[in-house]
Amino acid sequence: MTTGGTHPSKPALRRRTLLAGAIALPLVHAGSSRALAQDAPIRIGQSTALTGPLGDLGSAMHQGAKAAFAGINAKGGIHGRNIELTTLDDAYEVPKALANVDRFLADPGNFALFNCMGTPMIEAMLPKVVDSGVPFFAPFTGALLSRTKNAHSVFNIRASYADEAEKLVQHLSTIGIQRIGIVYQNNAFGKEVFSAAQQSMGKLKLPAAVNVTVESNASDAGAAAARLAGTDLEAIVIGLAGKPTLEFVKAFRALKRGVTLYALSVMGTPATVKALGADATGMAISQVVPLPSNVVMPVVRDFQTAWKASGATAEASHLALEGYLNARVFAEALQRAGRNPTRAAFIDATWNLKKWDLGGFEINASTPDRNASRFVELTLIGRDGRFLR
């Protein structure tokens, strides 16, 4: 006996349930498709040196960026979408870098190029990347060649080599040093450093510098060291990178001590400092990001947290912090570009990053011929090979 009205029989109930399920299935599937499209990761590509002569630089920056993106994705990503970084190793070789970039540009699902590395590689990539309209975000070079007025899709963050050289000369002038030597690599990078240092010395009315060049294969590094060691200098500005740095510093230290050596951030990698050993002690290095152990700065504390959470086993370095900062800035521009960003909206968003402070590191975009950061500080290499402020 039943109460409270009539009830359908069990077969009828089963038929209704199946029919309702059949009607509902297409709706659930359609909803899932839309969600997947909206929640699909934003894919970006990077060509950098993970192996080869500068593999330690590329690896450190890559790990720093990965730590930042992992932290952002763990908190829900950008408008609910993860950022997915695909990195291809170019071993610091131009042909491999171009092949990598061609692969990324041919992929319509690749949103942007991120933090590609090396002046020769960037120079070779730029024409095709600019023509493509794909965002070219934070190329790792301080060279002026990536800072051109009409390249709206190219967004440089790090201070230029010219900014670093100017900072070194200003410091020397402030502490009263007049007799300055400059040793620079006989290539575009070295000539930019020399030109900027020379201009800064002219503005500050310092005596003309004694200057020498070194070839990229370091074959004349010993001769350059001997020439500068034979003069009465108080300090030497070093516009060298890689092997020329090692060979020059070792040769000069063997001939003369008591002269302070000043170098740019490209020299201050853990591998270079380790290779120099005791000869690195007392060298002053300009840096384009804060000291990665300076936890007084909020952004460094954030970096340290992300670095530990990522499970990274390498020591937190300036380069790792630089990769982290680049990723944070990328994510901020992406956030401002809207829920379903186009490349054009993202590029516009990068140029609207005005006086944005990450916590001690300011981004102030102006025009494509100027980098968005002017941060440069001097560090000293201590006896244990660590950087000190």
Side-chain angles (χ1 to χ4, degrees):
M1 182 177 178
T2 62
T3 60
T6 60
H7 293 271
S9 65
K10 287 184 179 180
L13 180 62
R14 188 177 298 112
R15 282 195 301 272
R16 288 183 188 179
T17 302
L18 290 171
L19 180 61
I23 293 170
L25 277 173
L27 297 177
V28 171
H29 178 70
S32 297
S33 296
R34 286 196 295 272
L36 284 172
Q38 290 170 354
D39 297 341
I42 295 171
R43 296 193 290 113
I44 59 178
Q46 177 186 37
S47 179
T48 194
L50 300 178
T51 59
L54 298 182
D56 59 320
L57 278 75
S59 295
M61 281 196 302
H62 173 60
Q63 289 169 0
K66 277 179 59 180
F69 287 139
I72 291 164
N73 291 342
K75 293 178 181 177
I78 303 298
H79 297 297
R81 299 174 69 181
N82 284 354
I83 300 172
E84 187 178 283
L85 175 64
T86 299
T87 300
L88 298 178
D89 182 18
D90 58 36
Y92 205 73
E93 295 177 13
V94 170
K96 289 183 180 179
L98 287 177
N100 291 345
V101 167
D102 284 341
R103 177 174 165 182
F104 288 131
L105 294 181
D107 178 4
N110 185 68
F111 185 78
L113 290 170
F114 171 82
N115 205 194
C116 295
M117 172 187 162
T119 301
M121 278 55 67
I122 303 302
E123 183 175 24
M125 294 173 189
L126 270 174
K128 59 176 63 186
V129 174
V130 170
D131 286 346
S132 75
V134 172
F136 197 46
F137 190 88
F140 179 74
T141 176
L144 298 179
L145 61 88
S146 71
R147 295 155 172 80
T148 54
K149 287 186 178 180
N150 299 321
H152 194 63
S153 62
V154 182
F155 189 76
N156 290 279
I157 294 179
R158 70 170 2 237
S160 68
Y161 297 139
D163 292 332
E164 292 189 68
E166 184 178 355
K167 179 78 172 184
L168 292 176
V169 172
Q170 286 175 346
H171 171 76
L172 292 171
S173 176
T174 300
I175 62 176
I177 288 180
Q178 298 274 315
R179 300 189 304 280
I180 302 169
I182 303 175
V183 55
Y184 64 99
Q185 210 148 318
N186 190 22
N187 61 10
F189 154 69
K191 289 172 184 176
E192 278 189 23
V193 174
F194 173 64
S195 177
Q198 199 175 38
Q199 287 179 21
S200 185
M201 291 177 74
K203 289 178 187 176
L204 296 167
K205 296 181 170 52
L206 292 171
V210 178
N211 63 86
V212 294
T213 62
V214 174
E215 295 301 320
S216 294
N217 63 6
S219 58
D220 53 353
R227 182 177 171 194
L228 292 182
T231 60
D232 185 24
L233 298 174
E234 297 172 281
I236 295 173
V237 174
I238 300 174
L240 304 172
K243 186 179 179 182
T245 307
L246 295 173
E247 297 299 323
F248 172 81
V249 171
K250 286 180 177 179
F252 186 83
R253 291 291 205 206
L255 294 168
K256 193 170 188 176
R257 292 191 174 269
V259 177
T260 305
L261 304 180
Y262 291 78
L264 276 67
S265 58
V266 290
M267 176 270 159
T269 67
T272 302
V273 173
K274 184 178 179 180
L276 283 172
D279 287 333
T281 302
M283 287 186 69
I285 312 293
S286 57
Q287 304 286 0
V288 298
V289 298
L291 195 68
S293 58
N294 183 17
V295 291
V296 172
M297 297 182 74
V299 73
V300 174
R301 291 200 298 273
D302 293 342
F303 163 67
Q304 289 281 4
T305 299
W307 188 249
K308 290 171 185 173
S310 74
T313 55
E315 185 177 351
S317 64
H318 281 93
L319 286 161
L321 175 55
E322 184 169 354
Y324 172 86
L325 290 168
N326 290 337
R328 286 282 307 276
V329 179
F330 182 91
E332 177 67 18
L334 199 58
Q335 178 76 29
R336 296 186 186 196
R339 185 168 296 277
N340 293 300
T342 62
R343 287 168 172 165
F346 173 79
I347 290 169
D348 287 343
T350 63
W351 296 111
N352 285 318
L353 292 169
K354 309 287 187 183
K355 295 184 178 179
W356 179 57
D357 187 1
L358 283 84
F361 187 84
E362 186 177 271
I363 297 295
N364 190 24
S366 53
T367 55
D369 58 321
R370 294 184 66 79
N371 23 277
S373 168
R374 298 297 301 278
F375 184 96
V376 182
E377 72 174 13
L378 295 189
T379 58
L380 197 70
I381 300 176
R383 292 187 181 279
D384 58 356
R386 294 181 180 274
F387 291 99
L388 311 169
R389 285 184 66 229

